[in-house]
Amino acid sequence: MGPGWRAASTALVGGSVAVFVGLRRVALALPRPAAVRSRPSRDWRWLNLLVSFAHSVLAGLWALFSLWHSPELLSDIQDGYSVSGHLLVCFSSGYFVHDSLDIIFNHQSRSSWEYLVHHAMALSAFISLIITGRFLGAAVLLLLVEVSNIFLTIRMLLKMSNVPSPALYEANKYINLVVYFAFRLAPQAYLTWYFLRYVEVQGQGAFLTANLLLLDAMILMYFSRLLRSDFFPSLRKGSAGRDVDGEKFLID
């Protein structure tokens, strides 16, 4: 990638940040459920989740389209390329920048530190591939996780709003589990196997492999929380009286 393309990519990331600033302002104008309005401390989290939901819908569908339109991203994970995939990476990089700043400027770093770590990992990986033009297929495959995040975010919004419909939560609970396997665990497992088997552990390959292994640990931790909370509540430890504000997406 030449300097001109890198500069254009930087501008695209900046434009994406501006888009999410605009989306947050739109979310701010939307009505909030009574359960959220009654707890001022939940206002930020509600708005943050709405913006996250918008990103998940857009990026998840975009990742599916990119892989359908450019199957070479799957057949050549290291050197495959598509303009759509590149734009998607810039778009999601802008979201991670916006969400990180949102967490920091609203003094939520302590309760959301895991997400700051995740965003730092994602941004560093995306910046490396924007600079080198390599491993775009891996990035797009990882962004399939946003399909799973759609239902994960709906889960949290339902919890926060106290929607009086157990059937709705139950239905989403099982859909969430299925898409968690299909769009989060499966792509992550495949990429981990691919990197450990085919990617040289040096330079960018070593950096991305380390990132991937750290992400494996985080995903398994989130999955264990999800299972305990929704399917094995008797296994929860120390969760009595914990407020929903204590976690961004998954609570024990």
Side-chain angles (χ1 to χ4, degrees):
M1 294 292 175
W5 186 238
R6 292 172 193 163
S9 297
T10 302
L12 288 170
V13 173
S16 176
V17 173
V19 167
F20 286 105
V21 169
L23 284 174
R24 192 181 190 282
R25 290 182 178 177
V26 171
L28 189 61
L30 296 176
R32 298 174 181 77
V36 174
R37 294 197 309 270
S38 64
R39 299 285 299 277
S41 61
R42 294 190 179 189
D43 271 355
W44 171 81
R45 199 164 301 281
W46 181 263
L47 294 172
N48 184 269
L49 285 169
L50 287 180
V51 175
S52 174
F53 179 74
H55 171 254
S56 295
V57 172
L58 293 171
L61 294 177
W62 196 339
L64 288 171
F65 170 78
S66 294
L67 293 175
W68 171 78
H69 186 262
S70 304
E72 63 271 17
L73 293 175
L74 287 175
S75 60
D76 190 356
I77 286 177
Q78 296 191 52
D79 296 308
Y81 182 81
S82 80
V83 173
S84 175
H86 187 96
L87 293 175
L88 170 59
V89 170
C90 293
F91 175 75
S92 287
S93 295
Y95 166 72
F96 291 135
V97 170
H98 172 270
D99 197 52
S100 298
L101 295 176
D102 190 29
I103 290 171
I104 293 168
F105 289 160
N106 286 282
H107 311 291
Q108 299 293 328
S109 300
R110 185 172 182 180
S111 63
S112 301
W113 66 269
E114 296 169 10
Y115 299 94
L116 289 177
V117 172
H118 171 271
H119 293 353
M121 291 165 55
L123 277 170
S124 61
F126 286 178
I127 289 171
S128 78
L129 72 87
I130 288 173
I131 292 174
T132 65
R134 302 186 68 227
F135 294 103
L136 182 64
V140 175
L141 195 57
L142 280 177
L143 283 169
L144 286 176
V145 71
E146 297 302 334
V147 178
S148 171
N149 281 344
I150 294 172
F151 300 95
L152 201 58
T153 308
I154 290 174
R155 172 187 181 274
M156 191 59 183
L157 290 170
L158 290 173
K159 276 183 172 289
M160 289 186 66
S161 59
N162 293 331
V163 174
S165 177
L168 181 59
Y169 186 89
E170 285 292 309
N172 185 74
K173 180 174 77 173
Y174 288 102
I175 295 172
N176 183 36
L177 184 65
V178 171
V179 296
Y180 201 101
F181 273 103
F183 293 101
R184 187 181 294 259
L185 294 179
Q188 187 75 21
Y190 173 72
L191 277 177
T192 301
W193 169 81
Y194 180 90
F195 268 74
L196 292 177
R197 180 162 185 177
Y198 296 110
V199 176
E200 294 184 8
V201 187
Q202 60 181 13
Q204 186 185 19
F207 171 70
L208 293 177
T209 300
N211 253 7
L212 198 59
L213 293 175
L214 286 172
L215 192 57
D216 286 344
M218 294 182 75
I219 284 179
L220 292 176
M221 177 182 66
Y222 297 154
F223 187 51
S224 69
R225 290 182 187 174
L226 179 66
L227 290 178
R228 286 199 310 269
S229 180
D230 280 357
F231 297 95
F232 303 102
S234 61
L235 298 180
R236 291 182 297 181
K237 298 179 181 179
S239 60
R242 175 175 292 186
D243 191 272
V244 73
D245 295 336
E247 297 289 350
K248 184 179 180 185
F249 292 124
L250 300 175
I251 60 172
D252 291 334

